[in-house]
Amino acid sequence: MTGGAVKKAAGLRTVLRAAAMASAVLVAACAGLSPPPQAAPEAGAVSALDRLSPNRCNVAVASSLAGVRIPVSDVRYLAYGLYRNIPGDIVGYDAWVGLNSQPGAVVVQLDEFCTPRQIYAREGARLPDAR
């Protein structure tokens, strides 16, 4: 192996080690999360979300919104962000839900199978159950 190849291999090992450590920290941080409460979506909720942003996770998002008592009539916009791993596979989604009644957004974080991980408010929004 030439000197350049040895340096590249050492650099790659360092990157892989750092990625493994970051993954471990992320898993540890997420281990304490409790999934958001779920409830049956109100009639027409999934269709309303589909009109705003078609996505296979809209059923789970509608259930999460119902679980924290956010009516779909209060939803102003829905935008999805997604997370990919290094090979490019989708490993999760963030559903950003803007509300008519307040600034900011409520974010429903989902895994790659659309299972809700958590729900939280951003940019001045508040969850109805939050005091």
Side-chain angles (χ1 to χ4, degrees):
M1 218 180 233
T2 66
V6 170
K7 285 183 182 178
K8 284 182 184 177
L12 180 58
R13 278 193 300 275
T14 301
V15 168
L16 291 175
R17 216 174 293 130
M21 288 180 5
S23 295
V25 169
L26 181 61
V27 168
C30 292
L33 299 178
S34 58
Q38 300 291 291
E42 61 188 283
V46 176
S47 297
L49 296 180
D50 284 341
R51 284 191 296 278
L52 293 171
S53 182
N55 190 290
R56 65 188 187 95
C57 294
N58 283 347
V59 172
V61 171
S63 294
S64 295
L65 294 176
V68 294
R69 298 188 327 266
I70 295 175
V72 74
S73 61
D74 194 23
V75 175
R76 183 175 72 244
Y77 69 83
L78 170 63
Y80 280 91
L82 56 94
Y83 297 96
R84 293 184 182 271
N85 60 12
I86 295 298
D89 303 320
I90 294 174
V91 295
Y93 300 91
D94 281 344
W96 287 73
V97 182
L99 304 176
N100 292 314
S101 63
Q102 56 184 313
V106 169
V107 181
V108 181
Q109 191 177 61
L110 308 121
D111 69 12
E112 68 271 27
F113 305 109
C114 297
T115 303
R117 291 181 181 159
Q118 65 174 330
I119 189 169
Y120 57 93
R122 295 291 310 261
E123 302 170 357
R126 290 175 44 112
L127 293 173
D129 291 334
R131 304 266 181 248

